[in-house]
Amino acid sequence: MRLAICPGSFDPVTNGHLDIIKRSSKMFDELIVAVFHNPNKKPFFTMEERVEMLRMATEGIPNVRVDSFTGLLNEYVRLNNTHVIVRGLRAFSDFEAEVQRALLIKSVDPEIETIFIMTSGKYSFVSSTGIKELAGFGGKITGLVPACVEERLIKRSRDFIATGK
Ligand code: ADP
């Protein structure tokens, strides 16, 4: 069975992520979308909330499973008996960080391959960070995030801007 891991912070999942998830799910028998804790990013939504939103957003894709993990991505990949990681690429700025990350993973475990899927033009400007900012200031995010994320994001972003928490 061909299994791949699609890791990320997904804070929260956007339609850009979903596009990558849908397209890569067609290339594998099973795709595990794994929410990771990124120590360089202060999370906006809890791990549980991010997993819940991802589950709702991907429930129509039968071969996608959502999971979460705190620890080394290499370990998680091996725990699932695979060696394939899928990541999305938007711009040159993504490319530099992604190449570094992929090579670092390879230096620990040379058999792990990272595959990159190019963003769809219509989502190339969509990032979780941008979406959070836009929602916080009352901007329209319809069509940029799954419907299940939209309402929660608007409410949380307003609270965040008002209280700083
Ligand atoms: P991380 O915090 O691990 O960088 P993110 O949740 O921000 O994770 O993103 C997960 C993956 O999805 C990354 O490979 C990122 O480049 C990719 N990605 C994010 N937004 C888009 C988009 N609009 N189009 C394509 N890929 C994207």
Side-chain angles (χ1 to χ4, degrees):
M1 191 178 78
R2 289 171 310 152
L3 170 80
I5 310 292
C6 181
S9 310
F10 303 105
D11 189 28
V13 56
T14 68
N15 283 350
H17 291 131
L18 263 190
D19 174 63
I20 297 293
I21 292 169
K22 280 182 192 152
R23 286 161 57 207
S24 47
S25 71
K26 293 183 188 148
M27 299 164 58
F28 298 93
D29 298 314
E30 188 177 7
L31 182 75
I32 302 179
V33 180
V35 180
F36 271 75
H37 168 67
N38 182 339
N40 298 317
K41 292 182 180 176
K42 189 172 173 285
F44 189 72
F45 288 106
T46 65
M47 203 81 144
E48 292 72 28
E49 288 173 311
R50 286 182 264 157
V51 166
E52 196 185 321
M53 287 187 275
L54 261 170
R55 288 215 169 112
M56 285 194 264
T58 58
E59 67 187 356
I61 321 171
N63 64 335
V64 167
R65 182 152 57 90
V66 179
D67 193 14
S68 63
F69 192 72
T70 303
L72 253 188
L73 177 55
N74 298 53
E75 266 171 37
Y76 183 77
V77 170
R78 288 303 190 177
L79 267 176
N80 284 284
N81 297 317
T82 185
H83 63 280
V84 184
I85 296 169
V86 175
R87 297 276 292 175
L89 268 187
R90 282 161 300 190
F92 285 123
S93 48
D94 273 352
F95 182 80
E96 201 175 333
E98 292 292 340
V99 169
Q100 269 187 25
R101 189 203 274 253
L103 292 180
L104 198 62
I105 289 168
K106 231 182 195 334
S107 75
V108 177
D109 188 339
E111 283 185 5
I112 295 183
E113 299 293 352
T114 305
I115 292 176
F116 297 99
I117 311 275
M118 192 58 70
T119 182
S120 298
K122 59 181 172 176
Y123 298 127
S124 58
F125 61 93
V126 177
S127 68
S128 297
T129 307
I131 292 288
K132 283 180 278 194
E133 242 174 68
L134 195 58
F137 289 105
K140 191 168 166 287
I141 54 168
T142 312
L144 303 181
V145 289
C148 63
V149 172
E150 188 174 345
E151 198 180 313
R152 203 187 288 219
L153 189 54
I154 290 172
K155 188 184 173 305
R156 278 296 290 278
S157 304
R158 283 196 186 132
D159 293 351
F160 184 72
I161 297 285
T163 64
K165 306 190 249 204

